[in-house]
Amino acid sequence: MTVLSKIDFFYKEGKKEIARYAPLAFEAFKKGDAVARGILEENLSAIARLITGGAGHLKSSSVKVALCGGVTRQEEILLPMLAELLSKDSTAYELSVCQKEPVWGALLLAGMPCEE
């Protein structure tokens, strides 16, 4: 069975099903796989473009960026790669991984008290 033989399955099931394969890409990356590195670099490049695009609207020389989601469990890989991509920009980025669910940030921005 190859990925190409399952292409209909991936289109039908969507991003959530594809995301289930992310751990395989990280495992292959850790073993030095060049294709896995390319997958990560391509996707992190897209994220870097989103971050720099958003930062351009802030008119600040320093921007804090908090990453959220299950894939951030691999922060020891993601943060250095993303930092390298963002280092090409003149803005200083402070990268971190959310320690709580993203809804907490939305509640704080809405001015609601957030007690655990």
Side-chain angles (χ1 to χ4, degrees):
M1 176 177 69
T2 66
V3 173
L4 291 177
S5 70
K6 291 294 194 179
I7 201 81
D8 288 340
F9 170 77
F10 288 120
Y11 275 112
K12 179 182 167 202
E13 297 300 320
K15 293 177 188 177
K16 191 170 186 175
E17 184 61 30
I18 293 169
R20 290 183 50 210
Y21 291 88
L24 296 175
F26 283 105
E27 193 61 37
F29 172 83
K30 289 175 186 177
K31 292 179 179 177
D33 186 88
V35 173
R37 173 177 281 284
I39 290 169
L40 294 177
E41 287 176 348
E42 181 179 335
N43 285 282
L44 286 171
S45 291
I47 292 169
R49 286 191 302 276
L50 290 170
I51 292 169
T52 57
H57 294 284
L58 298 176
K59 308 285 189 248
S60 176
S61 61
S62 177
V63 175
K64 292 181 180 183
V65 178
L67 303 172
C68 301
V71 74
T72 59
R73 291 184 194 113
Q74 301 289 335
E75 67 181 281
E76 72 281 356
I77 295 170
L78 292 176
L79 293 182
M81 288 180 82
L82 186 56
E84 175 65 26
L85 291 164
L86 291 171
S87 70
K88 299 168 186 163
D89 189 52
S90 61
T91 302
Y93 294 96
E94 182 182 329
L95 302 176
S96 64
V97 172
C98 286
Q99 300 302 315
K100 294 185 178 186
E101 293 295 318
V103 70
W104 285 89
L107 292 172
L108 287 170
L109 286 172
M112 300 181 74
C114 296
E115 306 281 332
E116 284 193 55

